[in-house]
PDB file of all heavy atoms in Angstrom:
ATOM      1  N   MET A  66      80.729  50.664 -24.325  1.00  0.00           N
ATOM      2  CA  MET A  66      80.723  50.203 -25.721  1.00  0.00           C
ATOM      3  C   MET A  66      79.353  49.698 -26.161  1.00  0.00           C
ATOM      4  O   MET A  66      78.904  49.974 -27.260  1.00  0.00           O
ATOM      5  CB  MET A  66      81.783  49.092 -25.886  1.00  0.00           C
ATOM      6  CG  MET A  66      81.979  48.644 -27.325  1.00  0.00           C
ATOM      7  SD  MET A  66      82.780  49.837 -28.386  1.00  0.00           S
ATOM      8  CE  MET A  66      84.423  49.914 -27.692  1.00  0.00           C
ATOM      9  N   GLU A  67      78.684  48.999 -25.251  1.00  0.00           N
ATOM     10  CA  GLU A  67      77.348  48.453 -25.557  1.00  0.00           C
ATOM     11  C   GLU A  67      76.357  49.612 -25.780  1.00  0.00           C
ATOM     12  O   GLU A  67      75.560  49.566 -26.720  1.00  0.00           O
ATOM     13  CB  GLU A  67      76.904  47.567 -24.423  1.00  0.00           C
ATOM     14  CG  GLU A  67      75.621  46.845 -24.713  1.00  0.00           C
ATOM     15  CD  GLU A  67      75.314  45.785 -23.619  1.00  0.00           C
ATOM     16  OE1 GLU A  67      75.443  46.102 -22.431  1.00  0.00           O
ATOM     17  OE2 GLU A  67      74.928  44.688 -24.020  1.00  0.00           O
ATOM     18  N   ALA A  68      76.442  50.648 -24.941  1.00  0.00           N
ATOM     19  CA  ALA A  68      75.563  51.794 -25.127  1.00  0.00           C
ATOM     20  C   ALA A  68      75.848  52.505 -26.447  1.00  0.00           C
ATOM     21  O   ALA A  68      74.929  52.894 -27.194  1.00  0.00           O
ATOM     22  CB  ALA A  68      75.679  52.757 -23.932  1.00  0.00           C
ATOM     23  N   ALA A  69      77.123  52.655 -26.757  1.00  0.00           N
ATOM     24  CA  ALA A  69      77.505  53.293 -28.027  1.00  0.00           C
ATOM     25  C   ALA A  69      76.955  52.510 -29.200  1.00  0.00           C
ATOM     26  O   ALA A  69      76.453  53.076 -30.171  1.00  0.00           O
ATOM     27  CB  ALA A  69      79.022  53.422 -28.123  1.00  0.00           C
ATOM     28  N   HIS A  70      77.063  51.194 -29.107  1.00  0.00           N
ATOM     29  CA  HIS A  70      76.570  50.336 -30.196  1.00  0.00           C
ATOM     30  C   HIS A  70      75.076  50.518 -30.385  1.00  0.00           C
ATOM     31  O   HIS A  70      74.600  50.648 -31.553  1.00  0.00           O
ATOM     32  CB  HIS A  70      76.897  48.877 -29.891  1.00  0.00           C
ATOM     33  CG  HIS A  70      76.553  47.949 -30.994  1.00  0.00           C
ATOM     34  ND1 HIS A  70      75.570  47.004 -30.887  1.00  0.00           N
ATOM     35  CD2 HIS A  70      77.008  47.848 -32.278  1.00  0.00           C
ATOM     36  CE1 HIS A  70      75.452  46.348 -32.038  1.00  0.00           C
ATOM     37  NE2 HIS A  70      76.326  46.845 -32.884  1.00  0.00           N
ATOM     38  N   VAL A  71      74.321  50.578 -29.318  1.00  0.00           N
ATOM     39  CA  VAL A  71      72.874  50.794 -29.413  1.00  0.00           C
ATOM     40  C   VAL A  71      72.555  52.116 -30.123  1.00  0.00           C
ATOM     41  O   VAL A  71      71.713  52.170 -31.024  1.00  0.00           O
ATOM     42  CB  VAL A  71      72.205  50.725 -28.026  1.00  0.00           C
ATOM     43  CG1 VAL A  71      70.757  51.213 -28.080  1.00  0.00           C
ATOM     44  CG2 VAL A  71      72.284  49.323 -27.455  1.00  0.00           C
ATOM     45  N   TYR A  72      73.260  53.170 -29.727  1.00  0.00           N
ATOM     46  CA  TYR A  72      73.046  54.474 -30.366  1.00  0.00           C
ATOM     47  C   TYR A  72      73.437  54.468 -31.825  1.00  0.00           C
ATOM     48  O   TYR A  72      72.756  55.031 -32.698  1.00  0.00           O
ATOM     49  CB  TYR A  72      73.809  55.590 -29.643  1.00  0.00           C
ATOM     50  CG  TYR A  72      73.184  56.007 -28.356  1.00  0.00           C
ATOM     51  CD1 TYR A  72      73.851  55.840 -27.128  1.00  0.00           C
ATOM     52  CD2 TYR A  72      71.933  56.630 -28.300  1.00  0.00           C
ATOM     53  CE1 TYR A  72      73.261  56.230 -25.934  1.00  0.00           C
ATOM     54  CE2 TYR A  72      71.358  57.008 -27.125  1.00  0.00           C
ATOM     55  CZ  TYR A  72      72.031  56.833 -25.940  1.00  0.00           C
ATOM     56  OH  TYR A  72      71.469  57.237 -24.763  1.00  0.00           O
ATOM     57  N   LEU A  73      74.523  53.790 -32.155  1.00  0.00           N
ATOM     58  CA  LEU A  73      74.987  53.726 -33.567  1.00  0.00           C
ATOM     59  C   LEU A  73      73.983  52.927 -34.402  1.00  0.00           C
ATOM     60  O   LEU A  73      73.726  53.326 -35.572  1.00  0.00           O
ATOM     61  CB  LEU A  73      76.375  53.099 -33.653  1.00  0.00           C
ATOM     62  CG  LEU A  73      77.513  53.958 -33.125  1.00  0.00           C
ATOM     63  CD1 LEU A  73      78.788  53.159 -33.058  1.00  0.00           C
ATOM     64  CD2 LEU A  73      77.666  55.226 -33.965  1.00  0.00           C
ATOM     65  N   VAL A  74      73.474  51.840 -33.885  1.00  0.00           N
ATOM     66  CA  VAL A  74      72.485  51.052 -34.643  1.00  0.00           C
ATOM     67  C   VAL A  74      71.240  51.929 -34.934  1.00  0.00           C
ATOM     68  O   VAL A  74      70.737  51.934 -36.055  1.00  0.00           O
ATOM     69  CB  VAL A  74      72.090  49.757 -33.884  1.00  0.00           C
ATOM     70  CG1 VAL A  74      70.865  49.099 -34.495  1.00  0.00           C
ATOM     71  CG2 VAL A  74      73.268  48.780 -33.876  1.00  0.00           C
ATOM     72  N   ASP A  75      70.821  52.655 -33.937  1.00  0.00           N
ATOM     73  CA  ASP A  75      69.656  53.495 -34.105  1.00  0.00           C
ATOM     74  C   ASP A  75      69.948  54.624 -35.122  1.00  0.00           C
ATOM     75  O   ASP A  75      69.123  54.916 -35.997  1.00  0.00           O
ATOM     76  CB  ASP A  75      69.216  54.111 -32.761  1.00  0.00           C
ATOM     77  CG  ASP A  75      67.811  54.690 -32.788  1.00  0.00           C
ATOM     78  OD1 ASP A  75      67.087  54.520 -33.782  1.00  0.00           O
ATOM     79  OD2 ASP A  75      67.444  55.308 -31.767  1.00  0.00           O
ATOM     80  N   ALA A  76      71.153  55.212 -35.010  1.00  0.00           N
ATOM     81  CA  ALA A  76      71.506  56.294 -35.964  1.00  0.00           C
ATOM     82  C   ALA A  76      71.594  55.775 -37.376  1.00  0.00           C
ATOM     83  O   ALA A  76      71.197  56.468 -38.337  1.00  0.00           O
ATOM     84  CB  ALA A  76      72.827  56.910 -35.534  1.00  0.00           C
ATOM     85  N   LEU A  77      72.086  54.556 -37.539  1.00  0.00           N
ATOM     86  CA  LEU A  77      72.227  53.957 -38.845  1.00  0.00           C
ATOM     87  C   LEU A  77      70.863  53.802 -39.530  1.00  0.00           C
ATOM     88  O   LEU A  77      70.746  53.912 -40.761  1.00  0.00           O
ATOM     89  CB  LEU A  77      72.912  52.582 -38.734  1.00  0.00           C
ATOM     90  CG  LEU A  77      73.388  51.941 -39.995  1.00  0.00           C
ATOM     91  CD1 LEU A  77      74.412  52.797 -40.724  1.00  0.00           C
ATOM     92  CD2 LEU A  77      73.991  50.597 -39.692  1.00  0.00           C
ATOM     93  N   SER A  78      69.823  53.574 -38.743  1.00  0.00           N
ATOM     94  CA  SER A  78      68.497  53.359 -39.309  1.00  0.00           C
ATOM     95  C   SER A  78      67.798  54.681 -39.695  1.00  0.00           C
ATOM     96  O   SER A  78      66.753  54.661 -40.341  1.00  0.00           O
ATOM     97  CB  SER A  78      67.613  52.610 -38.337  1.00  0.00           C
ATOM     98  OG  SER A  78      67.279  53.412 -37.212  1.00  0.00           O
ATOM     99  N   ARG A  79      68.393  55.795 -39.312  1.00  0.00           N
ATOM    100  CA  ARG A  79      67.771  57.100 -39.592  1.00  0.00           C
ATOM    101  C   ARG A  79      68.228  57.641 -40.927  1.00  0.00           C
ATOM    102  O   ARG A  79      69.401  57.516 -41.294  1.00  0.00           O
ATOM    103  CB  ARG A  79      68.136  58.118 -38.494  1.00  0.00           C
ATOM    104  CG  ARG A  79      67.835  57.720 -37.091  1.00  0.00           C
ATOM    105  CD  ARG A  79      66.348  57.742 -36.826  1.00  0.00           C
ATOM    106  NE  ARG A  79      66.071  57.245 -35.497  1.00  0.00           N
ATOM    107  CZ  ARG A  79      65.387  57.913 -34.576  1.00  0.00           C
ATOM    108  NH1 ARG A  79      64.915  59.092 -34.861  1.00  0.00           N
ATOM    109  NH2 ARG A  79      65.171  57.361 -33.411  1.00  0.00           N
ATOM    110  N   PRO A  80      67.344  58.325 -41.655  1.00  0.00           N
ATOM    111  CA  PRO A  80      67.770  58.920 -42.938  1.00  0.00           C
ATOM    112  C   PRO A  80      68.645  60.127 -42.711  1.00  0.00           C
ATOM    113  O   PRO A  80      68.619  60.767 -41.657  1.00  0.00           O
ATOM    114  CB  PRO A  80      66.421  59.307 -43.554  1.00  0.00           C
ATOM    115  CG  PRO A  80      65.497  59.525 -42.427  1.00  0.00           C
ATOM    116  CD  PRO A  80      65.941  58.542 -41.363  1.00  0.00           C
ATOM    117  N   GLU A  81      69.478  60.431 -43.703  1.00  0.00           N
ATOM    118  CA  GLU A  81      70.286  61.631 -43.650  1.00  0.00           C
ATOM    119  C   GLU A  81      69.343  62.838 -43.495  1.00  0.00           C
ATOM    120  O   GLU A  81      68.267  62.870 -44.099  1.00  0.00           O
ATOM    121  CB  GLU A  81      71.099  61.810 -44.934  1.00  0.00           C
ATOM    122  CG  GLU A  81      72.247  60.825 -45.041  1.00  0.00           C
ATOM    123  CD  GLU A  81      73.224  60.899 -43.888  1.00  0.00           C
ATOM    124  OE1 GLU A  81      73.541  61.998 -43.411  1.00  0.00           O
ATOM    125  OE2 GLU A  81      73.657  59.820 -43.433  1.00  0.00           O
ATOM    126  N   GLY A  82      69.749  63.780 -42.705  1.00  0.00           N
ATOM    127  CA  GLY A  82      68.931  64.965 -42.450  1.00  0.00           C
ATOM    128  C   GLY A  82      67.997  64.846 -41.286  1.00  0.00           C
ATOM    129  O   GLY A  82      67.418  65.827 -40.838  1.00  0.00           O
ATOM    130  N   ASP A  83      67.826  63.664 -40.749  1.00  0.00           N
ATOM    131  CA  ASP A  83      66.995  63.436 -39.559  1.00  0.00           C
ATOM    132  C   ASP A  83      67.722  64.095 -38.377  1.00  0.00           C
ATOM    133  O   ASP A  83      68.881  63.777 -38.090  1.00  0.00           O
ATOM    134  CB  ASP A  83      66.821  61.935 -39.287  1.00  0.00           C
ATOM    135  CG  ASP A  83      65.894  61.616 -38.135  1.00  0.00           C
ATOM    136  OD1 ASP A  83      65.899  62.394 -37.137  1.00  0.00           O
ATOM    137  OD2 ASP A  83      65.169  60.613 -38.193  1.00  0.00           O
ATOM    138  N   SER A  84      67.054  65.025 -37.723  1.00  0.00           N
ATOM    139  CA  SER A  84      67.691  65.757 -36.627  1.00  0.00           C
ATOM    140  C   SER A  84      68.106  64.875 -35.450  1.00  0.00           C
ATOM    141  O   SER A  84      69.051  65.167 -34.743  1.00  0.00           O
ATOM    142  CB  SER A  84      66.779  66.909 -36.143  1.00  0.00           C
ATOM    143  OG  SER A  84      65.568  66.342 -35.655  1.00  0.00           O
ATOM    144  N   ASP A  85      67.413  63.795 -35.275  1.00  0.00           N
ATOM    145  CA  ASP A  85      67.744  62.880 -34.168  1.00  0.00           C
ATOM    146  C   ASP A  85      69.056  62.094 -34.452  1.00  0.00           C
ATOM    147  O   ASP A  85      69.714  61.650 -33.529  1.00  0.00           O
ATOM    148  CB  ASP A  85      66.609  61.861 -33.931  1.00  0.00           C
ATOM    149  CG  ASP A  85      65.386  62.518 -33.296  1.00  0.00           C
ATOM    150  OD1 ASP A  85      65.554  63.587 -32.689  1.00  0.00           O
ATOM    151  OD2 ASP A  85      64.288  61.956 -33.468  1.00  0.00           O
ATOM    152  N   LYS A  86      69.402  61.986 -35.721  1.00  0.00           N
ATOM    153  CA  LYS A  86      70.617  61.218 -36.076  1.00  0.00           C
ATOM    154  C   LYS A  86      71.850  61.857 -35.455  1.00  0.00           C
ATOM    155  O   LYS A  86      72.697  61.138 -34.870  1.00  0.00           O
ATOM    156  CB  LYS A  86      70.754  61.150 -37.587  1.00  0.00           C
ATOM    157  CG  LYS A  86      71.857  60.242 -38.048  1.00  0.00           C
ATOM    158  CD  LYS A  86      71.804  60.052 -39.541  1.00  0.00           C
ATOM    159  CE  LYS A  86      72.673  58.922 -39.967  1.00  0.00           C
ATOM    160  NZ  LYS A  86      72.275  58.325 -41.227  1.00  0.00           N
TER     161      LYS A  86
END
Side-chain angles (χ1 to χ4, degrees):
M66 186 69 67
E67 187 171 45
H70 185 246
V71 169
Y72 284 117
L73 289 171
V74 167
D75 196 8
L77 192 60
S78 71
R79 305 288 175 125
E81 288 302 321
D83 184 325
S84 61
D85 290 337
K86 188 171 194 156

